[in-house]
């Protein structure tokens, strides 16, 4: 007797009715089994069963075969199939918002965040100040605008922008009908904001979206005003990107106001994601194939920034729907989540002519705010400064959002997902930074000659592409250059007049000036050196005061010691203590390379995953009795070394729900282990007997449930290292004498391993590491590091001349392979290795206590360490970037009394 079919999930939809008619046809044919139908239709029973399953539209060929096998009219069924599969009419708005944030009017199609919305509404009701935190793309703006706003009786929502004071005045004027000019004058007192709101409506909730703009766009003065003004308002909700959590924490009033009043927007759960996909379509009578829902959930599960990617992919799928059915085929045609945004952007870009493409490039770069230790973000620009035709084209594709006066990227997901835009930012990063500074300077310039550029700033701005400048920017730059020429002419005149006097007094004056200058320099050097030493003493107790003193010391005497003082003070200022945040005292903490996750192990029991921003103690469990862990650089795998002697392979793509995907037959202490970037290649080194003989193996873990082992065929292995991409392995082999070793480079294919390169090196080398691109190999001894070019015939390229003299030193390449950091017992030294010859020192760090691990964090573009106190330190060597970051702090300049104490008899010099 044929098995009863499962009920259709959506019998009232177009796709459901089509499947029901197929089932009815089968019933009219006497209800033959699918096995019997398969013999008539020449398709498998599973294929025919799926055709009537109602989860996806079968192909025309399968539909006709099904009808033919049941004695149906093939022409009639072809007509039915074409009706449902017909391409959609070009009109009709998609039920999804794409890259745009949900707005208040979109509340009816905002699904999946009901629980979070209810929590936010309740918190807003009982607390005067509430913070909503989440990663870029997690849906903070949508939660505020489509979740919270419809449930409030009175609300005012806006973003701070460059001038929060002006923004507040304009928004209040729109709400109250008063003059924006009058309101601005009143609002210069930050307490006036709360008074004005109470006069209008005591219950008004001020909703500040994209609060991070006060750190990326606003000046320190405007930021301080805005924070104080918000403190006076009766009801405030702010939405902040999670990577600006530390910036928020630098304002004590915000810390106090947000205590116990925070909502964290995490990834959508599987059920929430399903609702966000299916229910908007159902509201307009459309159907989403179950296969498409399953594929979307699998593609983005656990990703914090999934919502805008999913929404955009669904908009593109909607345009490729079959009738009123969103299909898996249409999703794949759109490029899926991974490529849909890039394809849309590339399609628009390819339709522009060459001149318009250059204009589009300048437009996009104007809409980017460069991150300082954070991800790049979007910024608003005046529409009048941008080409209207190109802007309309970009807005038509929803890549850019336009208001009456401004334009901005529709979503920051575009920055992450469009390779061309990422390349533009990388190529023009420094010029872009200079251009943005010029934009702000031109906006603030009111004809005051003291505000004009001069010196290095003027030289940098003069190198910008003139075609990319707006009228106000060109006017400001032209005025600065004219003022510079006037200064040169006056200086030349003075020099001409004084030249005769200088010649007359040259003999005595030159000698006296030289001696005076030498004495002054020696004095300044000594004072700056003493201040640099004081900086290192101050760092543990008062990092901000240390940073102020370090900047002053570098301004007095730029040099290696004062440079390192600035870099160390900045690293201490940005250090984060995980034990204080998560109650992890007396436990071991392992740091991931690029992620925000940490894995914590104790003296017994399982390991736990902890987020950098998690305020709780407990996290998801890994293993049962874990002695140590190893994390991959792509945030996706953890190797948990159990005390029982085996190693569990864990998939942590969804950090909240780790799952074990494999087991390896060895444990911590039995072997030495190295793993590549994504955990698909792992090497082990095993001692033979009592040593010193050792053998090495490569494990292919692309399928972790069925690991494959390749032996590298040597019993004299001293060290083995796998390249980040897993395609090459370097084996350091002991020679017949202690004076030499052999370096073997193995190429690892899909099913085998073969030795491609062999070279002999001095026996003092103890460790090797591949560069990220696999073209260089660094060999470390107890006194130096030598970097070899191994892309072709091996050649020695650059030498790091100083390495901590012990066997425990660690070292790592930066993401662009132009720097190497070396971790000794109590310090990290960073070296530039981009050229040939001897490496140049880029920075020396020693403010931390007993560093445990060294990594490079691509997000911050800096090396990082975790110390014994479970603090994470970011070690930036970009002195300009560090200085700019410090100069945005309040009260970064020493007082007159402090200056006289540290630098007696030295004239004050600007530090910013």
């Amino acid at each position: 007797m044929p098995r009863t079919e499962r009920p259709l999930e959506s019998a009232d939809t177009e796709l459901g009715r089509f499947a029901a008619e197929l089932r009815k046809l089968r019933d009219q044919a006497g209800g033959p089994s699918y096995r019997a139908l398969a013999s008539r239709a020449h398709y498998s029973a599973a294929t025919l069963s799926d055709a009537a399953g109602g989860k996806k539209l079968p192909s025309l060929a399968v539909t006709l075969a099904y009808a033919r096998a049941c004695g149906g009219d093939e022409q009639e069924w072809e007509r039915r199939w074409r009706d449902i599969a017909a391409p959609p009419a070009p009109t009709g708005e998609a039920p999804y918002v794409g890259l745009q944030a949900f707005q208040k009017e979109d509340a009816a199609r905002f699904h999946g965040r009901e629980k979070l919305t209810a929590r936010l509404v309740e918190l807003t009701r009982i607390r005067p100040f509430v913070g909503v935190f989440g990663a870029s793309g997690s849906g903070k703006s949508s939660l505020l605008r489509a979740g919270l706003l419809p449930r409030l009786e009175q609300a005012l929502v806006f973003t701070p922008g460059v001038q929060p004071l002006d923004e507040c005045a304009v928004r209040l004027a729109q709400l109250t009908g008063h003059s924006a000019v009058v309101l601005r004058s009143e609002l210069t007192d930050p307490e006036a904001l709360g008074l004005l709101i109470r006069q209008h409506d005591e219950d008004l909730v001020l909703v500040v979206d994209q609060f991070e703009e006060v750190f990326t766009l606003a000046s320190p003065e405007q930021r301080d005003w805005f924070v104080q003004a918000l403190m006076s308002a009766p009801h405030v909700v702010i939405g902040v990107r999670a990577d600006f959590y530390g910036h928020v924490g630098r304002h004590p009033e915000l810390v106090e106001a947000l205590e116990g009043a925070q909502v964290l927007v995490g990834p959508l759960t599987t059920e929430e994601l399903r609702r966000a996909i299916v229910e908007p379509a159902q509201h307009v009578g459309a159907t989403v194939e179950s296969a498409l829902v399953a594929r979307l959930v699998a593609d983005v599960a656990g990703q914090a920034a999934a919502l805008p990617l999913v929404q955009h992919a669904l908009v593109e799928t909607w345009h490729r729907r079959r009738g009123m059915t969103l299909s898996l085929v249409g999703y794949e045609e759109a490029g899926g989540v991974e490529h849909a945004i890039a394809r849309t952007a590339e399609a628009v870009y390819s339709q522009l002519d060459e001149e318009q493409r250059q204009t589009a490039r300048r437009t996009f770069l104007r809409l980017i705010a460069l991150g300082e230790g954070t991800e790049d973000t979007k910024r608003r620009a005046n529409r009048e400064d941008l080409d209207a035709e190109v802007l309309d084209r970009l807005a038509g594709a929803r890549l850019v959002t336009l208001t009456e006066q401004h334009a901005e990227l529709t979503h920051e997901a575009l920055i992450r997902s469009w390779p061309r835009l990422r390349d533009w930012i990388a190529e023009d990063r420094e010029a872009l930074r200079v251009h943005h500074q010029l934009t702000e300077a031109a906006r603030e310039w009111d004809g005051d000659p003291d505000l004009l550029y001069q010196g290095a700033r003027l030289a940098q701005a003069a190198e910008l592409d003139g075609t990319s400048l707006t009228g106000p920017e060109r006017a400001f730059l032209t005025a600065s250059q004219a003022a510079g020429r006037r200064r040169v002419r006056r200086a030349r005149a003075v020099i001409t007049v004084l030249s005769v006097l200088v010649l007359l007094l040259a003999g005595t004056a030159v000698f006296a000036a030289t001696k005076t200058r030498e004495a002054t320099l020696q004095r300044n050097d000594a004072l700056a050196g003493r201040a640099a030493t004081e900086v290192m003493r101050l760092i543990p107790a008062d990092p901000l005061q240390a940073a102020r003193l370090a900047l002053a010391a570098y301004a007095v005497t730029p040099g290696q010691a004062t440079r390192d003082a600035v870099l160390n003070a900045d690293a201490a200022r940005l250090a984060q203590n995980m034990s204080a945040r998560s109650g992890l005292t007396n436990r071991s903490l392992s740091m991931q390379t690029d992620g925000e996750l940490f894995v914590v192990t104790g003296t017994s029991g399982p390991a736990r995953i902890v987020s950098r921003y998690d305020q709780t103690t407990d996290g998801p469990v890994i293993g049962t009795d874990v002695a140590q862990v190893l994390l991959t650089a792509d945030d996706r795998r953890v190797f948990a070394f159990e005390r029982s002697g085996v190693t569990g392979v864990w998939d942590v793509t969804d950090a909240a729900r780790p799952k074990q995907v494999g087991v390896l037959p060895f444990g911590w202490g039995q072997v030495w282990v190295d793993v590549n970037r994504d955990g698909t290649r792992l090497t082990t080194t095993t001692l033979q007997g009592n040593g010193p003989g050792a053998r090495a193996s490569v494990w292919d873990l692309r399928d972790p449930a069925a690991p494959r082992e390749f032996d590298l065929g040597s019993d004299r292995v001293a060290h083995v290292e796998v390249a980040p991409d897993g395609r090459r392995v370097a084996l350091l082999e002991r020679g017949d004498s202690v004076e030499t070793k052999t370096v073997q480079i193995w190429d690892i294919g899909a099913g085998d391993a073969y030795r491609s390169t062999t070279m002999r090196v001095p026996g003092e080398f103890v460790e090797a590491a591949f560069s990220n691109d696999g073209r260089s190999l660094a060999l470390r001894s107890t006194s130096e590091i030598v970097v070899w070019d191994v892309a072709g015939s091996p050649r020695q390229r650059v030498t790091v001349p100083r390495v901590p003299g012990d066997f425990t030193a660690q070292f790592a390449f930066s993401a662009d392979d132009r720097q190497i950091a070396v971790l000794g017992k109590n310090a990290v030294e960073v070296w530039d290795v981009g050229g040939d010859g001897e490496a140049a020192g880029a920075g020396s760090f020693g403010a931390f206590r007993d560093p445990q691990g060294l990594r490079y964090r691509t997000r911050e573009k800096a090396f990082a360490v975790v110390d014994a106190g479970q603090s994470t330190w970011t070690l930036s060597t970009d002195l300009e970037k560090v200085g700019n970051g410090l100069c945005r702090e309040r009260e970064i300049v020493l007082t007159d009394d402090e200056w006289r104490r540290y630098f007696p008899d030295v004239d004050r010099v600007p530090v910013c």
Side-chain angles (χ1 to χ4, degrees), residues 496-523:
T496 301
V497 172
L498 294 178
S499 59
V500 176
L501 294 176
V502 170
L503 288 174
L504 292 174
L505 300 174
T508 56
V510 168
F511 178 79
T514 300
K515 290 301 181 182
T516 301
R517 186 165 54 253
E518 289 177 356
T520 300
L521 290 175
Q522 290 173 358
R523 179 202 63 196

Side-chain angles (χ1 to χ4, degrees), residues 153-154 196-205 234-235:
E153 294 184 4
Q154 266 281 39
L196 289 170
I197 290 175
R198 288 182 175 88
Q199 289 174 347
H200 175 75
D201 187 343
E202 179 73 28
D203 296 325
L204 176 72
V205 179
H235 305 286

Side-chain angles (χ1 to χ4, degrees), residues 40 163 174 182 189 202 232 276 352 361 431 438 500 502 557 616 622 649 660 670 708 768 781 826 849 862 865 878 886:
R40 305 176 197 171
Q163 298 285 342
Q174 294 171 346
V182 173
D189 177 6
E202 179 73 28
S232 70
L352 304 175
R361 173 174 178 156
L438 176 64
V500 176
V502 170
T557 302
T616 63
I622 288 180
V649 185
Q660 188 168 350
Q670 300 171 340
R708 300 176 60 202
S781 71
N826 290 306
R849 176 172 61 87
V865 297
D878 186 338
L886 289 173

Side-chain angles (χ1 to χ4, degrees), residues 594-842:
D594 267 346
E596 302 303 336
L597 301 180
F598 299 83
V599 178
V600 183
T601 54
T603 55
S604 63
R608 291 187 179 274
I609 298 179
V610 178
S611 169
R612 180 187 293 264
Y613 301 110
D614 193 354
Q615 299 294 316
T616 63
T617 300
D618 295 332
V621 169
I622 288 180
T624 55
D625 191 13
V626 179
Q628 187 58 275
V629 295
L630 181 64
L631 300 89
T632 60
D634 66 349
D635 303 354
R636 294 180 179 271
R637 281 190 182 176
V638 172
F639 295 86
F641 298 91
E642 302 274 358
R643 291 183 175 85
S644 62
V646 298
T647 298
V649 185
W650 291 79
D651 185 335
V652 293
T653 304
D654 181 354
R657 297 174 182 82
K659 58 183 178 181
Q660 188 168 350
V661 293
V663 176
L664 301 177
F666 51 78
W668 193 260
Q670 300 171 340
V671 296
W672 288 276
V673 176
D674 183 52
V675 67
N676 74 319
R677 182 181 290 116
D678 62 6
T680 56
R681 293 282 196 274
L682 181 141
T683 63
T684 57
T685 306
T686 309
L687 285 176
Q688 303 293 299
N690 296 323
R695 296 190 70 85
S697 295
V698 179
W699 294 78
D700 185 343
L701 301 179
R702 285 175 294 179
D703 180 3
R708 300 176 60 202
E709 181 182 11
F710 301 98
D711 185 85
L712 295 183
S714 173
D715 57 5
R716 294 189 292 182
V717 175
H719 178 78
V720 64
E721 183 83 7
V722 62
D725 63 6
R727 297 179 181 177
R728 308 180 92 188
V729 169
L731 185 148
L732 196 57
E733 185 180 50
R734 291 185 176 87
D736 296 328
S737 66
V738 296
E739 283 79 19
T740 62
K741 282 189 175 80
T742 300
V743 176
Q744 301 175 5
I745 297 180
W746 291 71
D747 287 347
I748 310 298
D752 58 359
Y754 64 92
R755 185 167 53 200
S756 61
T757 304
T758 301
M759 58 187 187
R760 299 184 71 82
V761 298
E764 63 191 25
F765 289 106
V766 296
E767 190 178 0
F770 276 103
S771 61
N772 291 284
D773 62 10
R775 300 177 62 86
S776 298
L777 182 72
L779 299 176
R780 181 185 69 83
S781 71
T782 57
S783 60
E784 66 176 4
I785 292 175
V786 178
V787 181
W788 291 72
D789 185 340
V790 292
S793 299
R795 71 176 182 91
Q796 186 172 317
R797 186 169 60 81
V798 64
T799 300
V800 175
R802 188 173 69 250
V803 173
D806 56 54
F807 285 87
T808 62
Q810 302 178 37
F811 69 106
F813 279 95
S814 60
D816 61 4
D817 297 324
R818 299 187 64 83
Q819 288 188 332
I820 283 180
V822 186
L823 167 63
K825 184 166 181 58
N826 290 306
V828 171
E829 293 191 1
V830 182
W831 300 83
D832 286 330
V833 293
D836 290 356
E838 187 168 300

Side-chain angles (χ1 to χ4, degrees), residues 218-463:
S219 66
E221 294 77 19
Q222 285 278 321
R223 177 170 67 241
D224 293 343
W225 174 88
F226 193 49
V227 170
Q228 294 299 324
L230 292 183
M231 291 300 105
S232 70
H235 305 286
V236 177
V237 180
I238 62 173
V240 193
R241 256 179 43 182
D243 51 340
F244 285 86
Y245 193 91
H247 293 68
V248 173
R250 293 174 199 158
H251 294 268
E253 53 271 72
L254 288 177
V255 173
E256 183 177 354
L258 289 169
E259 184 69 33
Q262 301 178 32
V263 174
L264 180 61
V265 182
L268 290 159
T269 66
T270 299
E271 175 57 24
E272 290 172 339
L273 191 54
R274 188 198 67 78
R275 295 189 63 195
I277 295 168
V278 172
E279 296 195 13
Q282 291 179 344
H283 277 301
V284 296
T287 306
V288 183
E289 286 184 354
S290 298
L292 172 55
V293 176
R295 173 67 177 276
L296 268 169
V297 170
D299 283 352
V300 303
Q303 295 184 24
L307 193 57
L309 303 178
V310 169
Q311 289 285 319
H312 180 77
L314 286 169
V315 168
E316 294 301 309
T317 306
W318 173 266
H319 297 321
R320 296 165 174 80
R321 67 189 184 276
R322 309 281 185 164
M324 289 299 285
T325 301
L326 279 74
S327 66
L328 180 59
V329 172
Y331 172 75
E332 290 174 340
E333 288 175 355
V337 164
E338 184 178 357
H339 302 298
I341 294 177
R343 284 191 179 184
T344 299
E346 279 296 320
V348 174
Y349 182 76
S350 64
Q351 294 168 5
L352 304 175
D353 60 36
E354 186 57 37
E355 182 178 352
Q356 289 174 324
R357 290 181 181 182
Q358 294 302 317
T359 301
R361 173 174 178 156
R362 292 193 294 268
T363 299
F364 278 117
L365 292 179
R366 273 192 173 272
L367 302 178
I368 303 295
L370 300 178
E372 298 287 349
T374 59
E375 288 184 345
D376 298 332
T377 60
K378 61 181 181 177
R379 71 195 295 264
R380 279 178 289 172
N382 292 329
R383 287 183 64 173
E384 63 183 22
D385 296 336
L386 305 173
D387 183 89
E389 181 181 355
V390 171
L391 205 57
D392 288 341
R393 298 278 288 273
L394 301 180
R398 293 191 173 183
L399 301 175
V400 170
T401 298
L402 303 179
T403 64
E404 186 175 346
Q405 294 181 323
H406 298 104
E408 65 178 346
L409 295 183
T410 300
H411 201 281
E412 288 157 357
L414 186 65
I415 304 174
R416 298 189 299 271
S417 301
W418 189 20
R420 185 184 297 276
L421 179 55
R422 293 202 308 268
D423 291 344
W424 286 342
I425 295 171
E427 292 170 11
D428 295 348
R429 195 168 194 86
E430 290 310 313
L432 195 56
R433 195 185 306 278
V434 173
H435 195 167
H436 287 174
Q437 292 170 349
L438 176 64
T439 301
E440 300 306 322
R443 180 182 291 116
E444 296 175 3
W445 183 51
D446 57 358
D448 186 347
D450 292 336
L451 296 179
L452 293 172
Y453 272 1
Q454 55 182 299
R457 279 196 166 187
L458 177 57
Q460 290 176 331
E463 294 178 358

